[in-house]
């Protein structure tokens, strides 16, 4: 369950739509559990417009511009890398996971 901007529409939900599938409720729970951790990421982009809003109004001397065409970013994140990120942010901010859920539960849901 991640932020999805497919087809220019904004919203939260799983990458593969499964609103009526048996795991939809679990995907929603995982999204709610991970959301506070995502807010702790120092730099994140939702989409092209979010990137443009974060650009400074003027370039400074020594600045340079780079471009990249990135698509399907979330589908390119391996399960191992996602698990590593979850464990890292849980270690940094354990208070963000409600006490009734364990770190093990969170990781197993993610897998």
């Amino acid at each position: 369950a991640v932020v999805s901007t497919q087809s220019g529409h904004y919203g939260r939900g799983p990458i593969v739509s499964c609103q009526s599938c048996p795991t939809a409720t679990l995907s929603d729970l995982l999204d709610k559990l991970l959301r506070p951790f995502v807010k702790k990421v120092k730099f994140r982009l939702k989409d092209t417009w979010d990137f443009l809003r974060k650009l400074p109004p003027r370039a400074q001397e020594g600045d340079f511009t780079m471009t990249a065409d990135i698509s399907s970013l979330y589908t390119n994140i391996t399960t191992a890398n996602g698990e590593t990120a979850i464990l890292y942010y849980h270690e940094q901010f354990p208070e963000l996971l409600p006490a009734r859920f364990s770190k093990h539960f969170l990781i197993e849901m993610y897998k």
Side-chain angles (χ1 to χ4, degrees):
V2 297
V3 175
S4 174
T5 59
Q6 298 164 347
S7 303
H9 300 285
Y10 302 102
R12 63 177 179 75
I15 293 172
V16 177
S17 178
C18 66
Q19 293 177 353
S20 299
C21 75
T23 61
T25 303
L26 290 175
S27 294
D28 190 47
L29 175 61
L30 182 61
D31 179 68
K32 288 176 182 172
L33 292 175
L34 291 178
R35 194 175 305 142
F37 294 101
V38 172
K39 291 178 181 179
K40 295 295 185 179
V41 175
K42 289 182 183 177
F43 190 81
R44 64 185 193 274
L45 294 172
K46 293 180 185 177
D47 53 35
T48 301
W49 291 109
D50 189 36
F51 170 74
L52 292 173
R53 281 189 295 274
K54 290 178 180 178
L55 283 175
R58 295 183 185 267
Q60 304 292 321
E61 186 174 330
D63 287 352
F64 60 94
T65 303
M66 296 175 56
T67 63
D69 186 13
I70 299 172
S71 63
S72 302
L73 178 60
Y74 292 111
T75 58
N76 290 319
I77 297 173
T78 66
T79 302
N81 286 344
E83 185 176 334
T84 299
I86 291 170
L87 290 172
Y88 171 81
Y89 281 97
H90 180 268
E91 184 178 308
Q92 300 299 310
F93 308 100
E95 70 279 2
L96 296 180
L97 184 63
R100 67 180 182 221
F101 298 106
S102 69
K103 175 175 64 173
H104 175 74
F105 176 80
L106 185 62
I107 293 300
E108 288 302 311
M109 279 191 60
Y110 172 73
K111 291 179 181 178

